[in-house]
Amino acid sequence: EEGVLITPLPEPKKPAYLAELVGDAVAKGARVVNEGGGTLAGALMTPAVVFPVSREMRLWHEEQFGPVIPVGVYRDEAEVVEYVRSSPFGQQAALFTQSTDAAAPLIDALSTSVGRINLNTQCGRSPDELPFSGRRSSALGTMSVSEALRVFSTETVVAGKAAQE
């Protein structure tokens, strides 16, 4: 629809599930740091930035696929790599840095665990020309829009004899 900037959550139980995750984190010491974050209006949810998220919280362990951004705190890069490698999920990671020297070892370590590494930008959907890629329970393999269309299509060859003039 023209001019629409937000869409409702696609699954009927998703708003309640996301509210549970945010509530669990808040009950265990995190807070929603953006004003109005996590507010529900039917199937709409205002994005919630939740900080600090720790191992005791469901947000640390569950891949929610919703407008909830859990922010964890790590002591060092080795702890980040250990978390990503031990997680069953592997869709995307985002690194924010001004140093390519600092980013390079993390990119190397993450490249076998996640399907997309975002450098100085948030996780998000790519333009349709770029393939979608994931690892582990998040997704398996790489798929582009054209590959997806092929998977859900039945190819048929229509042959004919050239007309004689």
Side-chain angles (χ1 to χ4, degrees):
E1 190 176 311
E2 184 93 21
V4 172
L5 300 175
I6 60 170
T7 59
L9 294 163
E11 302 160 47
K13 295 180 181 178
K14 184 65 84 165
Y17 169 69
L18 295 173
E20 283 177 25
L21 292 177
V22 171
D24 173 73
V26 169
K28 294 175 179 167
R31 63 190 188 287
V32 178
V33 297
N34 59 313
E35 187 176 331
T39 304
L40 293 174
L44 295 174
M45 180 180 197
T46 304
V49 179
V50 184
F51 173 83
V53 174
S54 63
R55 293 180 192 275
E56 299 77 34
M57 301 170 189
R58 290 174 58 195
L59 272 176
W60 185 274
H61 303 282
E62 296 182 32
E63 191 173 42
Q64 74 276 356
F65 288 112
V68 178
I69 297 101
V71 179
V73 177
Y74 301 91
R75 290 183 301 271
D76 54 34
E77 288 92 352
E79 189 177 8
V80 173
V81 171
E82 183 277 322
Y83 168 75
V84 172
R85 287 187 174 158
S86 67
S87 170
F89 310 116
Q91 194 168 65
Q92 296 187 41
L95 301 174
F96 293 87
T97 183
Q98 293 180 355
S99 168
T100 54
D101 290 340
L106 283 170
I107 290 171
D108 286 345
L110 294 172
S111 66
T112 58
S113 299
V114 299
R116 174 177 163 157
I117 299 169
N118 302 280
L119 190 55
N120 293 330
T121 188
Q122 76 274 9
C123 295
R125 184 172 174 260
S126 294
D128 290 338
E129 304 84 52
L130 298 177
F132 170 82
S133 180
R135 307 274 191 282
R136 305 180 190 153
S137 295
S138 294
L140 185 58
T142 301
M143 183 176 281
S144 66
V145 171
S146 57
E147 289 171 340
L149 290 173
R150 263 195 305 278
V151 167
F152 294 107
S153 301
T154 302
E155 293 183 22
T156 302
V157 175
V158 177
K161 187 175 182 181
Q164 292 184 9
E165 292 181 32

